[in-house]
Amino acid sequence: MTMAGKVAIVTGGAQGLGAAVVRLLSEAGAQVLITDIADAAGGSLAAELGEGARFLHHDVSSAADWSAAIKAAEDAFGPVDILVNNAATTQRPASVEDFGEEEYRRIFEVNQLSVFLGMRAVVPSMRKAGAGAIVNISSVAGLVGQRAAIGYVATKFAVRGMTKAAALDLAPYNIRVNCVHPGAIDTPMLRQVTEAMEGDPVGDFCRTLPIPRQAAPKEVASAVLFLVSDGASFCTGVTMPVDGGWTV
């Protein structure tokens, strides 16, 4: 799955799953623009990877920032071949009756609006490249409902539907659009959600899965690498769970 000569943008690429995707793309030969709001971590990762990587501070809910990201990638490396819409946020546990309007609007902007803005912004660059591959990161929460997660579930289901709609819209340009649905992955975002909980709820749940453990970010990143590679050249509109059998 060589990425030699490919130009990629990975949002939320400074840490966790995004950083794992960045590393695999770089190891495979791609030139990568890492975008995030975590400037120190993103800058450090780009410096570690060398000339084939750049970091850009990027608010994914801003159309202007998306224009700047595309320009930065093209100025540094050339037309964009790959976009991984990975940036996301989570919500505090709250039922539909207890979740605030402003909280809902914020999670919508980061998790859903950003995916629309990113796909729309990258199309002209991918058309210049002659082809493209987009992977949107959803969640198992985009496949099954979860209690106390109305905003997160809504946005992750939306990412799944947007992927299928965009796959149909962009197929005439040889741009493939696919979606990955991670399960319980050991990332800073998941640890942030569970750190205030008693005991080991994530570990206890993962031990009930068909593959009875939590996953490492690289295990999800490998699925992303496949979907953006030429090995997946006949795959578009795919929604791929990487969840240890959670949704089986």
Side-chain angles (χ1 to χ4, degrees):
M1 293 190 288
T2 179
M3 297 291 147
K6 302 290 187 181
V7 176
I9 297 175
V10 181
T11 69
Q15 58 187 351
L17 173 57
V21 171
V22 167
R23 290 181 187 280
L24 285 188
L25 286 171
S26 180
E27 290 169 7
Q31 297 171 299
V32 187
L33 179 69
I34 306 161
T35 84
D36 210 305
I37 58 172
D39 295 348
S44 176
L45 179 58
E48 174 192 334
L49 296 176
E51 286 300 310
R54 299 284 192 281
F55 173 74
L56 180 72
H57 182 94
H58 181 196
D59 174 359
V60 291
S61 67
S62 163
D65 273 23
W66 268 108
S67 295
I70 303 301
K71 184 177 187 303
E74 290 190 333
D75 288 350
F77 305 125
V80 179
D81 304 284
I82 295 165
L83 170 63
V84 181
N85 275 314
N86 169 72
T89 189
T90 188
Q91 69 163 86
R92 66 179 179 88
S95 70
V96 61
E97 61 186 325
D98 297 322
F99 199 54
E101 179 181 346
E102 289 305 312
E103 291 177 295
Y104 188 91
R105 289 184 184 277
R106 181 55 182 161
I107 200 168
F108 157 76
E109 289 176 355
V110 176
N111 289 10
Q112 181 181 344
L113 177 63
S114 69
V115 173
F116 161 71
L117 293 175
M119 291 192 293
R120 184 181 68 172
V122 82
V123 168
S125 193
M126 288 186 170
R127 291 187 69 179
K128 282 190 282 187
I134 299 170
V135 171
N136 299 321
I137 306 298
S138 179
S139 166
V140 290
L143 296 170
V144 294
Q146 296 179 358
R147 287 189 179 93
I150 183 70
Y152 190 73
V153 169
T155 57
K156 292 303 187 178
F157 262 83
V159 169
R160 176 187 176 194
M162 293 161 67
T163 295
K164 291 183 176 294
L168 296 173
D169 288 344
L170 301 181
Y173 307 134
N174 199 24
I175 297 173
R176 299 181 297 103
V177 189
N178 294 295
C179 188
V180 170
H181 296 262
I185 312 301
D186 184 17
T187 64
M189 190 167 77
L190 181 58
R191 291 195 293 271
Q192 178 185 346
V193 171
T194 60
E195 64 185 4
M197 298 179 181
E198 295 182 2
D200 182 21
V202 173
D204 291 343
F205 171 74
C206 287
R207 283 186 281 275
T208 71
L209 296 173
I211 301 177
R213 60 175 176 82
Q214 197 172 10
K218 187 174 182 179
E219 293 177 285
V220 183
S222 296
V224 176
L225 184 68
F226 166 69
L227 287 172
V228 300
S229 77
D230 291 342
S233 58
F234 203 52
C235 296
T236 197
V238 167
T239 55
M240 178 186 289
V242 186
D243 63 359
W246 181 340
T247 53
V248 171

